[in-house]
Amino acid sequence: MNEERFGEFVLVRRHGYVAELVLDRPKAMNAVSTDMARSITGACTALAADRDARVVVLTSSHERAFCVGADLKERNSFSDADLMRQRPIARAAYTGVLELPMPTIAAVHGYALGGGFELALSCDVIVADRTAVVGLPEVSVGVIPGGGGTQLLPRRVGAARAAELIFTARRLEAEEAHGLGLVDRLVDAGQDRAEALELGARMAANSPVGLRAAKRALRLGHGLDLRAGLEVEDAAWRSVAFSADRAEGVAAFNEKRAPRWPGE
């Protein structure tokens, strides 16, 4: 397993074809400062271009928090001009996670609030342990979820449920969050990272070309009417139908062996 650091607060660990993107600002419970946002963006840019990264798992180095959202201590010192200058930097971090071309899994424990929960929502699957507390409390401090929360949460739980959660700014403990679909898998305390990495390894055993195309079809087709969605799916199918991965997958199946994916 090798590691690469992006700035002071973000680390990427390699577990074979699974890349672990670690939020590593424990002294601030991973509050996203300007520097940390830049580091998240840099790590995502590198991972997006890495053909050996078939799956990304987003984790935290803090024992009691995944990420508590924006660094409000830093924000408190900002002028209006400072805030406007920071906005594209912060937005790029959330977009960087959201637009990763391979499957992504968030491993959540402890607090995942505001921008922290938005980072998790930007992933395809959220694994949470029983210590998790999630929510979008932004309206309680005079702003709105600005890392994708107003768009990603209703896509998970529906418009009315998302409105209730965002307008009340309330926090949900793991059991309720799982019951409402805010998180996808609920595991015992301390098991979120191990479960997410295991799930990531299971995904990464499959064709990297197929994984990326399937994610593209899922993302681009969401919200379209059925006919348009099926056209998106057909385009994604055509992009893999004549790939080396498809040829290898069919050959491996017929030869009753594990595939050796070319990744192209």
Side-chain angles (χ1 to χ4, degrees), residues 58-218:
L58 183 60
T59 70
S60 161
S61 66
H62 195 284
E63 291 182 359
R64 293 186 296 108
F66 174 73
C67 172
V68 294
D71 186 342
L72 296 184
K73 289 184 178 178
E74 180 187 60
R75 290 270 181 95
N76 193 46
S77 68
F78 279 3
S79 66
D80 289 351
D82 292 333
L83 188 60
M84 287 302 294
R85 276 192 293 270
Q86 192 214 31
R87 174 60 179 165
I89 298 169
R91 190 177 180 191
Y94 299 105
T95 303
V97 176
L98 183 65
E99 294 186 350
L100 282 168
M102 67 287 287
T104 52
I105 306 166
V108 174
H109 59 265
Y111 296 110
L113 301 172
F117 188 42
E118 288 174 307
L119 286 171
L121 288 171
S122 297
C123 294
D124 299 303
V125 178
I126 302 174
V127 176
D129 82 359
R130 294 185 182 276
T131 70
V133 178
V134 305
L136 296 175
E138 283 88 345
V139 297
S140 70
V141 292
V143 290
I144 69 165
T150 66
Q151 305 306 304
L152 295 170
L153 188 58
R155 283 169 165 77
R156 272 187 164 266
V157 302
R161 179 75 70 192
E164 183 255 318
L165 295 172
I166 290 170
F167 296 162
T168 61
R170 73 185 181 93
R171 302 177 178 188
L172 292 81
E173 294 189 357
E175 199 80 41
E176 184 181 8
H178 183 240
L180 295 178
L182 276 75
V183 304
D184 304 302
R185 290 196 178 193
L186 187 59
V187 297
D188 291 337
Q191 295 301 306
D192 55 297
R193 177 176 177 269
E195 176 75 11
L197 288 172
E198 182 182 336
L199 179 60
R202 202 176 318 155
M203 293 178 182
N206 297 308
S207 159
V209 169
L211 288 171
R212 290 182 179 222
K215 176 165 179 169
R216 196 161 63 247
L218 284 163

Side-chain angles (χ1 to χ4, degrees), residues 6 8 32 43 45 60 88 122 148 154 174 185 187 189 209 223 227 238 243:
F6 291 82
E8 188 179 353
V32 182
T45 299
S60 161
S122 297
R185 290 196 178 193
V187 297
V209 169
R227 187 180 296 272
R238 290 172 185 276
S243 67

Side-chain angles (χ1 to χ4, degrees), residues 14 16-19 47-48 50-56 102 208 212:
R14 304 294 177 145
Y17 291 112
V18 177
L47 288 169
D50 186 347
R51 306 307 294 186
D52 286 331
R54 296 182 185 174
V55 176
V56 172
M102 67 287 287
R212 290 182 179 222

